[in-house]
Protein backbone atom coordinates (compact mmCIF):
# COMPACT_ATOMS: atom_id res chain seq x y z
CA UNK A 1 0.00 0.00 0.00
CA UNK A 2 1.08 3.55 -0.73
CA UNK A 3 0.99 5.19 2.72
CA UNK A 4 2.16 8.76 3.25
CA UNK A 5 2.61 9.53 6.94
CA UNK A 6 2.06 13.09 8.17
CA UNK A 7 4.31 14.84 10.63
CA UNK A 8 3.81 13.48 14.14
CA UNK A 9 3.16 9.91 13.01
CA UNK A 10 5.73 7.16 12.46
CA UNK A 11 5.86 3.50 11.58
CA UNK A 12 6.28 1.34 14.66
CA UNK A 13 9.49 -0.71 14.79
CA UNK A 14 9.62 -4.33 15.99
CA UNK A 15 11.11 -3.05 19.25
CA UNK A 16 7.96 -0.95 19.86
CA UNK A 17 5.76 -3.96 20.66
CA UNK A 18 5.50 -3.12 24.36
CA UNK A 19 4.76 0.55 23.65
CA UNK A 20 1.99 -0.39 21.22
CA UNK A 21 0.49 -2.64 23.90
CA UNK A 22 0.82 -0.09 26.68
CA UNK A 23 -0.91 2.69 24.73
CA UNK A 24 -3.63 0.36 23.44
CA UNK A 25 -4.20 -1.16 26.86
CA UNK A 26 -4.64 2.26 28.44
CA UNK A 27 -6.97 3.31 25.63
CA UNK A 28 -9.21 0.28 26.24
CA UNK A 29 -9.25 0.43 30.07
CA UNK A 30 -12.97 1.23 30.22
CA UNK A 31 -13.97 -0.56 27.02
CA UNK A 32 -17.14 -2.61 27.65
CA UNK A 33 -16.29 -5.63 25.50
CA UNK A 34 -12.69 -5.89 26.67
CA UNK A 35 -13.76 -5.57 30.29
CA UNK A 36 -16.25 -8.39 29.71
CA UNK A 37 -13.52 -10.58 28.21
CA UNK A 38 -10.67 -9.88 30.61
CA UNK A 39 -12.60 -8.95 33.75
CA UNK A 40 -10.10 -6.25 34.75
CA UNK A 41 -7.53 -3.83 33.33
CA UNK A 42 -4.40 -5.76 34.30
CA UNK A 43 -4.38 -8.17 31.36
CA UNK A 44 -5.02 -5.59 28.65
CA UNK A 45 -1.58 -4.13 27.91
CA UNK A 46 0.30 -7.47 28.05
CA UNK A 47 -2.25 -9.09 25.71
CA UNK A 48 -2.12 -6.26 23.18
CA UNK A 49 1.70 -6.25 23.39
CA UNK A 50 1.83 -9.96 22.53
CA UNK A 51 -0.60 -9.48 19.63
CA UNK A 52 1.45 -6.54 18.34
CA UNK A 53 4.71 -8.50 18.48
CA UNK A 54 3.40 -11.80 17.15
CA UNK A 55 1.03 -10.57 14.48
CA UNK A 56 0.54 -6.91 13.64
CA UNK A 57 4.18 -5.79 13.57
CA UNK A 58 5.10 -8.82 11.44
CA UNK A 59 2.18 -8.95 9.05
CA UNK A 60 0.34 -5.64 9.44
CA UNK A 61 0.82 -1.88 9.60
CA UNK A 62 1.42 -0.25 12.99
CA UNK A 63 1.70 3.48 13.67
CA UNK A 64 2.66 5.52 16.70
CA UNK A 65 1.80 9.15 17.41
CA UNK A 66 4.65 9.93 19.76
CA UNK A 67 4.08 8.23 23.10
CA UNK A 68 0.37 9.07 23.06
CA UNK A 69 -1.38 7.21 20.25
CA UNK A 70 -1.19 3.83 18.56
CA UNK A 71 -2.98 2.03 15.74
CA UNK A 72 -2.73 -1.50 14.35
CA UNK A 73 -4.00 -2.35 10.86
CA UNK A 74 -3.67 -5.33 8.55
CA UNK A 75 -4.68 -6.11 4.98
CA UNK A 76 -7.21 -8.93 4.99
CA UNK A 77 -5.07 -11.29 2.91
CA UNK A 78 -2.28 -10.97 5.49
CA UNK A 79 -4.36 -11.96 8.52
CA UNK A 80 -2.75 -14.88 10.32
CA UNK A 81 -3.83 -17.36 12.94
CA UNK A 82 -1.99 -16.78 16.19
CA UNK A 83 0.82 -19.30 16.50
CA UNK A 84 1.12 -21.78 19.40
CA UNK A 85 3.86 -19.83 21.23
CA UNK A 86 1.94 -16.53 21.13
CA UNK A 87 -1.25 -18.33 22.15
CA UNK A 88 0.56 -19.91 25.11
CA UNK A 89 1.89 -16.49 26.16
CA UNK A 90 -1.61 -15.00 26.09
CA UNK A 91 -3.07 -17.93 28.04
CA UNK A 92 -0.32 -17.57 30.64
CA UNK A 93 -0.99 -13.84 30.87
CA UNK A 94 -4.72 -14.42 31.38
CA UNK A 95 -4.06 -17.05 34.05
CA UNK A 96 -1.93 -14.55 35.98
CA UNK A 97 -3.77 -11.29 35.31
CA UNK A 98 -7.25 -11.99 33.96
CA UNK A 99 -10.33 -12.76 35.99
CA UNK A 100 -11.81 -16.23 36.35
CA UNK A 101 -13.13 -17.47 33.01
CA UNK A 102 -11.20 -14.93 30.94
CA UNK A 103 -9.47 -17.60 28.84
CA UNK A 104 -12.79 -19.17 27.82
CA UNK A 105 -14.30 -15.74 27.12
CA UNK A 106 -11.28 -14.72 25.01
CA UNK A 107 -11.53 -17.90 22.94
CA UNK A 108 -15.25 -17.38 22.37
CA UNK A 109 -14.68 -13.75 21.44
CA UNK A 110 -11.96 -14.64 18.94
CA UNK A 111 -14.16 -17.30 17.34
CA UNK A 112 -17.13 -14.92 17.12
CA UNK A 113 -15.04 -12.17 15.54
CA UNK A 114 -13.63 -14.61 12.98
CA UNK A 115 -17.12 -15.90 12.15
CA UNK A 116 -18.43 -12.39 11.46
CA UNK A 117 -15.32 -11.10 9.67
CA UNK A 118 -16.00 -10.12 6.05
CA UNK A 119 -14.59 -12.42 3.38
CA UNK A 120 -14.02 -9.83 0.65
CA UNK A 121 -10.64 -8.02 0.46
CA UNK A 122 -10.34 -5.07 2.86
CA UNK A 123 -8.10 -3.18 5.24
CA UNK A 124 -8.80 -4.20 8.84
CA UNK A 125 -8.42 -1.73 11.70
CA UNK A 126 -7.69 -3.92 14.71
CA UNK A 127 -7.11 -1.15 17.25
CA UNK A 128 -6.73 2.61 17.43
CA UNK A 129 -6.46 4.57 20.65
CA UNK A 130 -4.68 7.14 22.78
CA UNK A 131 -3.48 7.50 26.32
CA UNK A 132 -5.84 9.34 28.66
CA UNK A 133 -3.50 12.34 28.84
CA UNK A 134 -3.50 12.68 25.04
CA UNK A 135 -7.23 12.60 24.36
CA UNK A 136 -8.79 15.55 22.57
CA UNK A 137 -5.56 16.40 20.74
CA UNK A 138 -6.59 15.09 17.32
CA UNK A 139 -4.38 12.00 17.40
CA UNK A 140 -7.22 9.71 16.31
CA UNK A 141 -7.79 11.83 13.21
CA UNK A 142 -4.03 11.99 12.60
CA UNK A 143 -3.76 8.19 12.66
CA UNK A 144 -6.86 7.63 10.53
CA UNK A 145 -6.04 10.06 7.71
CA UNK A 146 -3.10 8.32 5.95
CA UNK A 147 -4.72 4.89 6.09
CA UNK A 148 -8.02 6.15 4.67
CA UNK A 149 -6.09 7.87 1.88
CA UNK A 150 -4.07 4.72 1.15
CA UNK A 151 -7.20 2.56 1.16
CA UNK A 152 -8.96 4.97 -1.19
CA UNK A 153 -5.97 4.95 -3.53
CA UNK A 154 -5.93 1.14 -3.52
CA UNK A 155 -9.75 1.02 -3.85
CA UNK A 156 -9.92 -1.04 -0.66
CA UNK A 157 -12.81 -0.95 1.82
CA UNK A 158 -11.99 -0.74 5.53
CA UNK A 159 -13.47 -2.83 8.34
CA UNK A 160 -13.44 -2.60 12.13
CA UNK A 161 -15.25 -3.90 15.19
CA UNK A 162 -16.24 -1.05 17.48
CA UNK A 163 -16.29 -2.29 21.06
CA UNK A 164 -17.42 0.95 22.69
CA UNK A 165 -20.60 2.82 21.64
CA UNK A 166 -18.97 6.08 22.74
CA UNK A 167 -16.70 5.77 19.68
CA UNK A 168 -19.44 5.24 17.09
CA UNK A 169 -19.61 8.94 16.19
CA UNK A 170 -15.83 9.10 15.71
CA UNK A 171 -15.88 6.19 13.28
CA UNK A 172 -18.92 7.54 11.47
CA UNK A 173 -17.12 10.86 10.99
CA UNK A 174 -14.44 8.92 9.11
CA UNK A 175 -16.90 7.25 6.76
CA UNK A 176 -17.59 3.99 8.60
CA UNK A 177 -21.17 2.70 8.66
CA UNK A 178 -22.73 0.03 10.82
CA UNK A 179 -23.04 -3.40 9.25
CA UNK A 180 -24.47 -5.25 12.26
CA UNK A 181 -24.23 -5.77 16.00
CA UNK A 182 -23.14 -9.13 17.41
CA UNK A 183 -22.22 -10.67 20.75
CA UNK A 184 -18.81 -12.23 21.34
CA UNK A 185 -20.22 -14.54 24.01
CA UNK A 186 -23.38 -15.15 26.03
CA UNK A 187 -24.37 -11.90 27.73
CA UNK A 188 -21.48 -9.87 26.34
CA UNK A 189 -21.83 -6.21 25.34
CA UNK A 190 -22.29 -5.98 21.57
CA UNK A 191 -19.56 -5.43 19.03
CA UNK A 192 -20.49 -3.07 16.23
CA UNK A 193 -19.16 -4.29 12.89
CA UNK A 194 -18.46 -1.21 10.73
CA UNK A 195 -17.51 -0.85 7.06
CA UNK A 196 -16.10 1.98 4.98
CA UNK A 197 -16.28 1.94 1.20
CA UNK A 198 -13.34 3.55 -0.62
CA UNK A 199 -13.90 7.13 -1.71
CA UNK A 200 -13.12 8.68 -5.07
CA UNK A 201 -10.41 11.34 -5.09
CA UNK A 202 -11.72 14.89 -4.86
Amino acid sequence: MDIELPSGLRNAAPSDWRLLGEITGEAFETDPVNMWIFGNQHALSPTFSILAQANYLKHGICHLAGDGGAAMWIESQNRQELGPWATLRIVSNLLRRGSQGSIARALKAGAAMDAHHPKEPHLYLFTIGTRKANRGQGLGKLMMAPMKAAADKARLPCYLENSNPMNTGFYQSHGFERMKLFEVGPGSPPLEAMWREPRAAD
Side-chain angles (χ1 to χ4, degrees), residues 128-169:
I128 186 169
T130 64
R131 294 188 188 273
K132 287 176 280 190
N134 298 96
R135 288 173 192 163
Q137 298 176 6
L139 296 187
K141 182 178 180 181
L142 181 75
M143 292 185 286
M144 274 284 195
M147 298 305 291
K148 289 193 305 179
D152 290 346
K153 194 177 295 185
R155 305 305 298 158
L156 264 183
C158 298
Y159 173 73
L160 63 85
E161 299 111 349
N162 175 24
S163 51
N164 190 337
M166 291 182 65
N167 296 329
T168 297

CSV table of all heavy atoms in Angstrom, one decimal, residues 128-169:
chain,number,residue,atom,x,y,z
A,128,ILE,N,-7.2,1.2,17.5
A,128,ILE,CA,-6.7,2.6,17.4
A,128,ILE,C,-7.1,3.2,18.8
A,128,ILE,O,-8.2,3.0,19.3
A,128,ILE,CB,-7.3,3.4,16.2
A,128,ILE,CG1,-6.7,4.8,16.1
A,128,ILE,CG2,-8.9,3.5,16.3
A,128,ILE,CD1,-7.1,5.5,14.8
A,129,GLY,N,-6.2,4.0,19.4
A,129,GLY,CA,-6.5,4.6,20.7
A,129,GLY,C,-5.3,5.5,21.1
A,129,GLY,O,-4.2,5.5,20.6
A,130,THR,N,-5.6,6.2,22.2
A,130,THR,CA,-4.7,7.1,22.8
A,130,THR,C,-4.6,7.0,24.3
A,130,THR,O,-5.6,6.5,24.9
A,130,THR,CB,-5.0,8.6,22.5
A,130,THR,OG1,-6.3,8.9,23.1
A,130,THR,CG2,-5.1,8.8,21.0
A,131,ARG,N,-3.6,7.4,24.9
A,131,ARG,CA,-3.5,7.5,26.3
A,131,ARG,C,-4.5,8.5,26.8
A,131,ARG,O,-4.8,9.5,26.1
A,131,ARG,CB,-2.1,7.9,26.8
A,131,ARG,CG,-1.0,6.8,26.5
A,131,ARG,CD,0.3,7.2,27.1
A,131,ARG,NE,1.4,6.4,26.8
A,131,ARG,CZ,1.8,5.3,27.3
A,131,ARG,NH1,1.0,4.8,28.3
A,131,ARG,NH2,2.8,4.6,26.9
A,132,LYS,N,-4.9,8.4,28.1
A,132,LYS,CA,-5.8,9.3,28.7
A,132,LYS,C,-5.3,10.8,28.6
A,132,LYS,O,-6.1,11.7,28.3
A,132,LYS,CB,-6.1,8.9,30.1
A,132,LYS,CG,-7.0,7.7,30.2
A,132,LYS,CD,-7.2,7.3,31.7
A,132,LYS,CE,-6.0,6.6,32.2
A,132,LYS,NZ,-6.2,5.9,33.5
A,133,ALA,N,-4.1,11.0,28.8
A,133,ALA,CA,-3.5,12.3,28.8
A,133,ALA,C,-3.5,13.0,27.4
A,133,ALA,O,-3.3,14.2,27.3
A,133,ALA,CB,-2.1,12.3,29.4
A,134,ASN,N,-3.6,12.2,26.4
A,134,ASN,CA,-3.5,12.7,25.0
A,134,ASN,C,-4.8,12.7,24.3
A,134,ASN,O,-4.9,13.0,23.1
A,134,ASN,CB,-2.5,11.8,24.2
A,134,ASN,CG,-1.1,11.8,24.8
A,134,ASN,OD1,-0.8,10.9,25.6
A,134,ASN,ND2,-0.4,12.8,24.5
A,135,ARG,N,-5.9,12.5,25.0
A,135,ARG,CA,-7.2,12.6,24.4
A,135,ARG,C,-7.6,14.0,24.0
A,135,ARG,O,-7.2,15.0,24.7
A,135,ARG,CB,-8.3,11.9,25.2
A,135,ARG,CG,-8.1,10.4,25.2
A,135,ARG,CD,-9.0,9.7,26.2
A,135,ARG,NE,-8.5,8.3,26.3
A,135,ARG,CZ,-8.9,7.5,27.3
A,135,ARG,NH1,-9.7,7.9,28.2
A,135,ARG,NH2,-8.4,6.2,27.3
A,136,GLY,N,-8.4,14.2,23.0
A,136,GLY,CA,-8.8,15.5,22.6
A,136,GLY,C,-7.7,16.4,21.8
A,136,GLY,O,-7.9,17.6,21.6
A,137,GLN,N,-6.7,15.7,21.4
A,137,GLN,CA,-5.6,16.4,20.7
A,137,GLN,C,-5.5,16.1,19.2
A,137,GLN,O,-4.6,16.5,18.5
A,137,GLN,CB,-4.2,16.0,21.4
A,137,GLN,CG,-4.1,16.4,22.8
A,137,GLN,CD,-2.8,15.9,23.5
A,137,GLN,OE1,-1.9,15.4,22.8
A,137,GLN,NE2,-2.6,16.1,24.7
A,138,GLY,N,-6.5,15.4,18.7
A,138,GLY,CA,-6.6,15.1,17.3
A,138,GLY,C,-5.7,13.9,16.9
A,138,GLY,O,-5.5,13.7,15.7
A,139,LEU,N,-5.2,13.1,17.8
A,139,LEU,CA,-4.4,12.0,17.4
A,139,LEU,C,-5.2,10.9,16.7
A,139,LEU,O,-4.6,10.3,15.8
A,139,LEU,CB,-3.7,11.4,18.6
A,139,LEU,CG,-2.7,12.3,19.4
A,139,LEU,CD1,-2.0,11.5,20.5
A,139,LEU,CD2,-1.7,13.0,18.4
A,140,GLY,N,-6.4,10.7,17.0
A,140,GLY,CA,-7.2,9.7,16.3
A,140,GLY,C,-7.4,10.1,14.8
A,140,GLY,O,-7.2,9.2,13.9
A,141,LYS,N,-7.7,11.3,14.6
A,141,LYS,CA,-7.8,11.8,13.2
A,141,LYS,C,-6.5,11.7,12.5
A,141,LYS,O,-6.4,11.3,11.3
A,141,LYS,CB,-8.3,13.3,13.2
A,141,LYS,CG,-8.5,13.9,11.9
A,141,LYS,CD,-9.0,15.3,12.0
A,141,LYS,CE,-9.3,15.9,10.6
A,141,LYS,NZ,-9.7,17.3,10.8
A,142,LEU,N,-5.4,12.1,13.2
A,142,LEU,CA,-4.0,12.0,12.6
A,142,LEU,C,-3.7,10.6,12.2
A,142,LEU,O,-3.2,10.4,11.1
A,142,LEU,CB,-3.0,12.5,13.6
A,142,LEU,CG,-1.5,12.5,13.2
A,142,LEU,CD1,-1.3,13.6,12.2
A,142,LEU,CD2,-0.6,12.6,14.4
A,143,MET,N,-4.1,9.6,13.0
A,143,MET,CA,-3.8,8.2,12.7
A,143,MET,C,-4.7,7.6,11.6
A,143,MET,O,-4.3,6.7,10.8
A,143,MET,CB,-3.8,7.3,13.9
A,143,MET,CG,-2.7,7.6,14.9
A,143,MET,SD,-2.7,6.5,16.4
A,143,MET,CE,-4.1,7.1,17.3
A,144,MET,N,-5.9,8.1,11.5
A,144,MET,CA,-6.9,7.6,10.5
A,144,MET,C,-6.5,8.1,9.1
A,144,MET,O,-6.7,7.4,8.1
A,144,MET,CB,-8.3,8.1,10.9
A,144,MET,CG,-9.0,7.2,11.9
A,144,MET,SD,-9.6,5.7,11.0
A,144,MET,CE,-10.7,5.1,12.2
A,145,ALA,N,-6.1,9.4,9.0
A,145,ALA,CA,-6.0,10.1,7.7
A,145,ALA,C,-5.2,9.3,6.7
A,145,ALA,O,-5.6,9.1,5.6
A,145,ALA,CB,-5.6,11.5,7.9
A,146,PRO,N,-3.9,8.9,7.0
A,146,PRO,CA,-3.1,8.3,6.0
A,146,PRO,C,-3.6,6.9,5.5
A,146,PRO,O,-3.4,6.6,4.4
A,146,PRO,CB,-1.7,8.2,6.6
A,146,PRO,CG,-2.0,8.2,8.1
A,146,PRO,CD,-3.2,9.1,8.3
A,147,MET,N,-4.2,6.2,6.4
A,147,MET,CA,-4.7,4.9,6.1
A,147,MET,C,-6.0,5.0,5.2
A,147,MET,O,-6.2,4.2,4.3
A,147,MET,CB,-5.0,4.1,7.4
A,147,MET,CG,-3.7,3.8,8.2
A,147,MET,SD,-2.4,3.1,7.2
A,147,MET,CE,-3.1,1.4,6.9
A,148,LYS,N,-6.8,5.9,5.5
A,148,LYS,CA,-8.0,6.2,4.7
A,148,LYS,C,-7.6,6.5,3.3
A,148,LYS,O,-8.1,6.0,2.3
A,148,LYS,CB,-8.9,7.3,5.2
A,148,LYS,CG,-9.7,6.9,6.5
A,148,LYS,CD,-10.8,7.9,6.8
A,148,LYS,CE,-10.2,9.3,6.9
A,148,LYS,NZ,-11.3,10.3,7.2
A,149,ALA,N,-6.6,7.4,3.2
A,149,ALA,CA,-6.1,7.9,1.9
A,149,ALA,C,-5.5,6.7,1.1
A,149,ALA,O,-5.7,6.6,-0.1
A,149,ALA,CB,-5.1,9.0,2.1
A,150,ALA,N,-4.7,5.9,1.8
A,150,ALA,CA,-4.1,4.7,1.2
A,150,ALA,C,-5.1,3.7,0.7
A,150,ALA,O,-5.0,3.1,-0.4
A,150,ALA,CB,-3.1,4.1,2.1
A,151,ALA,N,-6.1,3.5,1.5
A,151,ALA,CA,-7.2,2.6,1.2
A,151,ALA,C,-8.0,3.1,0.0
A,151,ALA,O,-8.3,2.3,-1.0
A,151,ALA,CB,-8.1,2.3,2.3
A,152,ASP,N,-8.3,4.4,0.0
A,152,ASP,CA,-9.0,5.0,-1.2
A,152,ASP,C,-8.1,4.8,-2.5
A,152,ASP,O,-8.7,4.5,-3.5
A,152,ASP,CB,-9.3,6.4,-0.9
A,152,ASP,CG,-10.3,6.6,0.2
A,152,ASP,OD1,-11.0,5.7,0.5
A,152,ASP,OD2,-10.4,7.8,0.6
A,153,LYS,N,-6.8,5.1,-2.4
A,153,LYS,CA,-6.0,5.0,-3.5
A,153,LYS,C,-5.9,3.5,-4.1
A,153,LYS,O,-5.9,3.3,-5.3
A,153,LYS,CB,-4.6,5.4,-3.2
A,153,LYS,CG,-3.7,5.7,-4.3
A,153,LYS,CD,-2.3,6.2,-3.9
A,153,LYS,CE,-2.4,7.6,-3.2
A,153,LYS,NZ,-1.1,8.1,-2.9
A,154,ALA,N,-6.0,2.6,-3.1
A,154,ALA,CA,-5.9,1.1,-3.5
A,154,ALA,C,-7.3,0.6,-3.8
A,154,ALA,O,-7.5,-0.6,-4.1
A,154,ALA,CB,-5.3,0.3,-2.4
A,155,ARG,N,-8.3,1.4,-3.7
A,155,ARG,CA,-9.7,1.0,-3.9
A,155,ARG,C,-10.1,-0.1,-2.9
A,155,ARG,O,-10.8,-1.1,-3.3
A,155,ARG,CB,-10.0,0.6,-5.3
A,155,ARG,CG,-9.7,1.7,-6.3
A,155,ARG,CD,-10.3,3.0,-6.1
A,155,ARG,NE,-11.8,2.9,-6.1
A,155,ARG,CZ,-12.6,3.8,-5.6
A,155,ARG,NH1,-12.1,4.8,-4.8
A,155,ARG,NH2,-13.9,3.7,-5.7
A,156,LEU,N,-9.7,0.0,-1.7
A,156,LEU,CA,-9.9,-1.0,-0.7
A,156,LEU,C,-10.9,-0.5,0.4
A,156,LEU,O,-10.8,0.6,0.9
A,156,LEU,CB,-8.6,-1.4,0.1
A,156,LEU,CG,-7.8,-2.6,-0.3
A,156,LEU,CD1,-6.6,-2.8,0.6
A,156,LEU,CD2,-8.7,-3.9,-0.4
A,157,PRO,N,-12.0,-1.3,0.7
A,157,PRO,CA,-12.8,-0.9,1.8
A,157,PRO,C,-12.0,-1.1,3.1
A,157,PRO,O,-11.0,-1.8,3.2
A,157,PRO,CB,-14.0,-2.0,1.7
A,157,PRO,CG,-13.8,-2.6,0.4
A,157,PRO,CD,-12.4,-2.5,0.0
A,158,CYS,N,-12.6,-0.6,4.2
A,158,CYS,CA,-12.0,-0.7,5.5
A,158,CYS,C,-13.1,-1.4,6.4
A,158,CYS,O,-14.2,-1.1,6.3
A,158,CYS,CB,-11.5,0.6,6.1
A,158,CYS,SG,-10.2,1.4,5.2
A,159,TYR,N,-12.6,-2.2,7.4
A,159,TYR,CA,-13.5,-2.8,8.3
A,159,TYR,C,-12.9,-2.7,9.7
A,159,TYR,O,-11.7,-2.7,10.0
A,159,TYR,CB,-13.6,-4.3,8.0
A,159,TYR,CG,-14.4,-5.1,9.0
A,159,TYR,CD1,-15.8,-5.0,9.1
A,159,TYR,CD2,-13.7,-6.0,9.8
A,159,TYR,CE1,-16.5,-5.8,10.0
A,159,TYR,CE2,-14.4,-6.8,10.7
A,159,TYR,CZ,-15.8,-6.7,10.8
A,159,TYR,OH,-16.5,-7.4,11.7
A,160,LEU,N,-13.8,-2.6,10.7
A,160,LEU,CA,-13.4,-2.6,12.1
A,160,LEU,C,-14.6,-3.2,13.0
A,160,LEU,O,-15.7,-3.2,12.5
A,160,LEU,CB,-13.0,-1.2,12.6
A,160,LEU,CG,-14.1,-0.1,12.6
A,160,LEU,CD1,-15.0,-0.1,13.8
A,160,LEU,CD2,-13.5,1.3,12.4
A,161,GLU,N,-14.2,-3.5,14.2
A,161,GLU,CA,-15.2,-3.9,15.2
A,161,GLU,C,-15.2,-2.9,16.3
A,161,GLU,O,-14.2,-2.8,17.0
A,161,GLU,CB,-15.0,-5.3,15.8
A,161,GLU,CG,-15.1,-6.4,14.8
A,161,GLU,CD,-13.7,-7.1,14.5
A,161,GLU,OE1,-12.7,-6.5,15.0
A,161,GLU,OE2,-13.7,-8.1,13.9
A,162,ASN,N,-16.2,-2.1,16.4
A,162,ASN,CA,-16.2,-1.1,17.5
A,162,ASN,C,-16.8,-1.7,18.8
A,162,ASN,O,-17.9,-2.1,18.8
A,162,ASN,CB,-17.2,0.1,17.0
A,162,ASN,CG,-17.3,1.1,18.1
A,162,ASN,OD1,-16.5,1.3,19.0
A,162,ASN,ND2,-18.4,1.9,18.0
A,163,SER,N,-15.9,-1.6,19.8
A,163,SER,CA,-16.3,-2.3,21.1
A,163,SER,C,-16.8,-1.3,22.1
A,163,SER,O,-17.0,-1.7,23.3
A,163,SER,CB,-15.1,-3.1,21.6
A,163,SER,OG,-13.9,-2.2,21.7
A,164,ASN,N,-16.9,-0.1,21.7
A,164,ASN,CA,-17.4,0.9,22.7
A,164,ASN,C,-18.4,1.9,22.0
A,164,ASN,O,-17.9,2.6,21.1
A,164,ASN,CB,-16.2,1.7,23.3
A,164,ASN,CG,-16.6,2.6,24.4
A,164,ASN,OD1,-17.8,3.0,24.6
A,164,ASN,ND2,-15.7,3.0,25.3
A,165,PRO,N,-19.7,1.9,22.3
A,165,PRO,CA,-20.6,2.8,21.6
A,165,PRO,C,-20.2,4.3,21.7
A,165,PRO,O,-20.7,5.1,20.8
A,165,PRO,CB,-21.9,2.5,22.3
A,165,PRO,CG,-21.6,1.8,23.6
A,165,PRO,CD,-20.3,1.1,23.4
A,166,MET,N,-19.4,4.7,22.7
A,166,MET,CA,-19.0,6.1,22.7
A,166,MET,C,-18.1,6.5,21.5
A,166,MET,O,-18.0,7.7,21.2
A,166,MET,CB,-18.2,6.3,24.0
A,166,MET,CG,-19.0,6.2,25.3
A,166,MET,SD,-18.0,6.6,26.8
A,166,MET,CE,-17.6,8.3,26.5
A,167,ASN,N,-17.6,5.5,20.8
A,167,ASN,CA,-16.7,5.8,19.7
A,167,ASN,C,-17.4,5.7,18.3
A,167,ASN,O,-16.8,6.0,17.3
A,167,ASN,CB,-15.5,4.8,19.7
A,167,ASN,CG,-14.6,4.9,20.9
A,167,ASN,OD1,-14.5,6.0,21.4
A,167,ASN,ND2,-14.0,3.8,21.3
A,168,THR,N,-18.7,5.4,18.4
A,168,THR,CA,-19.4,5.2,17.1
A,168,THR,C,-19.4,6.5,16.3
A,168,THR,O,-19.1,6.5,15.1
A,168,THR,CB,-20.9,4.8,17.4
A,168,THR,OG1,-20.9,3.6,18.0
A,168,THR,CG2,-21.7,4.8,16.1
A,169,GLY,N,-19.6,7.7,16.9
A,169,GLY,CA,-19.6,8.9,16.2
A,169,GLY,C,-18.3,9.2,15.6
A,169,GLY,O,-18.2,9.8,14.4
